[in-house]
């Protein structure tokens, strides 16, 4: 079974962003995964609107925007306006998840919820039928290149069960630490989308790495 692959640009060479994006654009990758970090929700600052806007000009592939920021409700409209196709906010980052999802859907783009390794899967229950995607973190968010947390496999099975039992159409995206050693298990346990940063961008041939995941 084929999964979607969403390369995380965080691991790309920013001195050559245009070239890096062109390589991904020409590859069989399905989406561009863009990690926005604010230094508050996570202990790192990555990039914001200018970079998302720039990448929007470099590809027609869907932009899968992962907001690791507090109070995402303040910025969602702008991320919609600059051309995001999927906007994912963390369940831990806001008390206004329902309103945020509604606002994203009003613009006819897709809404996702990301969930950290320590947050119970059952917390997703009340939202599972209304979102398009769950981003299951395989690492604590903040940095590319971290080691995959093995308990993510069990959490993936639990999430898959929740999606099936509730009749949800949400896709499962696994993000963080995805590599050649774990992607097969992730696929067989129900992952629909694999995000990969260092596995792709540290490899000599991005096409081979992307095709291997698919
Ligand atoms: C982690 C980010 C991930 C990360 C993935 O905070 O959300 O998207 O960049 O990078 P790798 O695949 O290197 O773990
Ligand atoms: Zn991410």
């Amino acid at each position: 079974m084929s999964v979607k692959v969403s390369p995380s640009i965080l691991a790309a060479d920013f001195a050559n962003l245009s070239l890096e994006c062109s390589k991904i654009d020409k590859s069989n990758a399905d989406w561009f995964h863009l990690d926005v970090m604010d230094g508050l929700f996570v202990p790192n600052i990555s990039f914001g609107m200018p970079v998302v806007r720039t990448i929007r000009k470099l590809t027609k592939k869907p932009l899968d925007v992962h907001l690791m920021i507090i109070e995402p409700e303040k910025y969602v409209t702008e991320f919609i306006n600059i051309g995001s196709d999927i906007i994912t906010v963390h369940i831990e980052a806001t008390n206004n998840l329902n309103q945020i999802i509604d606002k994203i859907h009003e613009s006819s783009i897709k809404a996702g919820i990301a969930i950290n390794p320590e947050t119970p899967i059952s917390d997703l229950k009340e939202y599972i039928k209304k979102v398009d995607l769950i981003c299951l973190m395989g690492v604590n968010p903040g940095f590319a290149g971290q080691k995959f947390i093995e308990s993510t496999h069990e959490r993936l099975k639990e999430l898959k069960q929740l999606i099936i039992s509730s009749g949800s159409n949400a896709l499962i995206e696994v993000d963080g630490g995805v590599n050649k050693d774990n992607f097969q298990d992730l696929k067989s346990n129900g992952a629909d989308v694999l995000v990969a940063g260092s596995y792709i961008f540290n490899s000599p041939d991005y096409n081979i790495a992307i095709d291997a995941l698919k």
Side-chain angles (χ1 to χ4, degrees), residues 1-73:
M1 200 192 72
S2 177
V3 289
K4 289 190 195 320
V5 173
S6 192
S8 166
I9 300 302
L10 188 61
D13 174 6
F14 274 66
N16 292 300
L17 190 57
S18 167
L19 176 65
E20 295 280 69
C21 288
S22 137
K23 286 187 189 172
I24 299 304
D25 189 51
K26 290 187 192 124
S27 76
N28 290 324
D30 297 272
W31 298 346
F32 277 58
H33 186 85
L34 305 184
D35 289 303
V36 176
M37 302 179 185
D38 66 353
L40 294 168
F41 181 69
V42 287
N44 194 12
I45 300 176
S46 58
F47 53 78
M49 290 83 173
V51 171
V52 175
R53 224 180 267 118
T54 301
I55 295 177
R56 178 70 292 169
K57 291 185 197 141
L58 298 174
T59 184
K60 291 203 160 53
K61 291 191 182 188
L63 299 187
D64 166 29
V65 177
H66 178 189
L67 297 183
M68 283 160 275
I69 64 176
I70 59 165
E71 302 187 280
E73 51 273 39

Side-chain angles (χ1 to χ4, degrees), residues 8 10-11 33 35 37 66 68 137 139-146 175-178 195-199:
S8 166
L10 188 61
H33 186 85
D35 289 303
M37 302 179 185
H66 178 189
M68 283 160 275
M137 295 307 300
V139 300
N140 286 305
F143 301 90
Q146 300 182 78
D175 182 15
V178 173
V195 173
S198 27
Y199 175 65

Side-chain angles (χ1 to χ4, degrees), residues 149-168:
I149 298 171
E150 289 301 321
S151 55
T152 308
H153 288 297
E154 283 311 309
R155 288 168 57 76
L156 173 57
K157 289 182 200 163
E158 189 184 346
L159 174 58
K160 188 74 186 175
Q161 274 316 311
L162 175 63
I163 286 176
I164 291 170
S165 64
S166 57
S168 160

Side-chain angles (χ1 to χ4, degrees), residues 56 60-65 83-87 108-111:
R56 178 70 292 169
K60 291 203 160 53
K61 291 191 182 188
L63 299 187
D64 166 29
V65 177
S84 308
D85 296 280
I86 303 144
I87 298 182
S108 302
I109 66 169
K110 299 203 182 308

